[in-house]
Amino acid sequence: MGTTLDPGSQSQEDGGARVLTFHLRKSWSRFGPRLGRIALLEVPREEYTTDISIDETSSVTFDTPNILVGTSRGVVPHLSRDHCNSADAIRWINVPFESFMEQSPPVPMLQTGPDPLRTFLGFDKRRHIVSLCLRDPMDTREMPPNGNTYVSALCVRGVRKVTLSEWREYAYKLKPDIVFALSDTPFTAPPYSQKRVTKSIERSISWLADMLRPLKSSVPSCSPSVSGRLSQHPLNVFVNMAGGTSIPAREVFAHSLAEELHGPDLEAVKPIKRLDDGVVGYSFHLATLRGSVPKPLGPHRRNQQNDVFQLESPNMLQDTGKLIEVPTPGDGEVPASPPLLSGFAEYPVPPDTASLLQASLRQLPEGKPRLVTGVRSPHEILKLIRDVGADIFEADLAIAAANVGVALDFVFPLPPDHGPLEEGKRKDVGHNLYDHVYAREYGRLSDCLAGAAESQSQFPTSLPICPCIACSPRSPASHVHHSNTFDVQSYEETDLNGKVMYGPPRSRGYLHHLLHTHEMSAHTMLVAHNLAVLDRFLSGVRDLLLGGDGNDTGEGEGKITRFAVEVNRFESVYDESMEVLRVARKCWHEVDLARGKGRLGREKEKQALIEARGVSGG
């Protein structure tokens, strides 16, 4: 059990409030592509009674659609703190807290000061939003069932039961910028009975209400007046939209968020009148919707499973007819059910992902950010922007590719001269640098992006710049300080004149060599590069929706039509099956097995065999 939270000391230590705002800059339909801006405001307590503008108090601001980067034990895989603080692509960092649960209390809870979580992890508050969730949304291994008052979490010492009061304590003590409410997601083999789905909805609603229950001494007497504020609660709470793969269940959960509270339920969360009033955004974890059977407990890597592109299993489809009668949690009575799509109960196949997300959002306000984790390809990102209006995507795709030696290489929208390699054959979304074909390739990692030191005159058309440490490497302009005095950045990136000196981009052959010699720096450069590619990809989406050149011109209908056309072009040029990841994973496994005594001899024999086959084939 953890220590007891002292609301009084919490109020004194916290000099102000962090307020998350989201402004919809452009939205042409409820479920169409849209442009927004997320800002995290630091509001001093003495300014609670004044109107606050975003420009005056913003500590972090970025446009959407954009990415969120997941961590393992608070560390972005393969990247150091300096890498994170200097990477333009990393703005929102998510911390699954279960990886710290092997100790009691968890080690981050021992950190003191006004900003414990950020201080403990070393992220720059001027550059990053740091969110806290209990479970890793990409971890779908089979788990013991949750209880009515606790969630099963997994750490290096096994499964831990985290109670509702403990999660509230962690959230208030660590002061993350955003906290994810607990959700009762089944991690057992499907299909799930009507009773289990009903229980999941009831628990998720109950746990959200418990999170929104205020600490009497920690809530200021008046709240800061901020334009675009999303919630009436001191915590910035995201809620996972429960309901699994059943459209009626998802509609019932959304109805429970939007309905007005009465009696004891209202008294428990005052001054909030609806649960949705205390929520700043909605999250969707696609990894639990794929229909795959959860894997047994074992070592976990932040990597996509081998069968990640399988079709959803028909067994995941729930009995939608019975789920119409699911009672609203806390009522004891059957409410008027939300209208269902005509004939849905007779659907022979599971609903697609877009339909599930739309069912969860249809009754809720449009002006809150929509976060999606577990996307499998850039194609899926484009479809969720086009069909759902998703705003934030977890970048696990980029990290998973880097883990197996793949350098991503795609751009949106496609230049006019880009097309398929040949009739009926699509391009890979990246390069498998384990492949021996790259052993003597000395070009940069991406064909679509250029290095900062490269002259644009050598390209047929101007290319966007990839700012990553592999394509645009830069050396420190000052001595590197190894001291805890420098908590943000250990060196300066510009010289006395404010200029940054870039070196030539790292070559594919160089990274091929690093991968085959098991150098950790290879994965560091690949993660930085892949995140930069994904960031530039979504920047292209935003530019296209703004009119192509950053100016807000053109009719909304025309922009949506052009966006749909460009999505179709992207799908026709790039391989959505992500076959390059499957091949790379096999190559990674072969190289990994080559380690140990006699490794060099075995690799020489294999290389000689490859060269012999090449000569005979020629």
Side-chain angles (χ1 to χ4, degrees), residues 87-152:
D88 295 334
I90 302 177
R91 302 178 184 89
W92 183 342
I93 297 170
N94 186 44
V95 180
F97 198 63
E98 65 180 352
S99 58
F100 296 104
M101 297 298 299
E102 74 275 6
Q103 300 287 343
S104 182
V107 174
M109 293 289 288
L110 304 178
Q111 179 70 49
T112 59
D115 204 351
L117 183 63
R118 196 187 297 271
T119 302
F120 181 80
L121 299 177
F123 294 120
D124 188 352
K125 70 176 183 179
R126 299 168 300 178
R127 299 179 63 91
H128 302 134
I129 291 176
V130 179
S131 59
L132 186 70
C133 64
L134 178 59
R135 298 228 57 219
D136 184 346
M138 292 301 298
D139 187 356
T140 58
R141 287 173 292 178
E142 188 167 7
M143 291 284 291
N146 302 321
N148 289 328
T149 59
Y150 67 85
V151 174
S152 295

Side-chain angles (χ1 to χ4, degrees), residues 11 19 110 145 149 160 187 251 313 315 319 488 536 575 604:
S11 177
V19 179
L110 304 178
T149 59
R160 295 288 187 268
F187 287 97
E251 290 175 334
S313 167
N315 293 332
D319 187 344
V488 175
R536 185 63 189 84
D575 176 27
K604 288 180 179 179

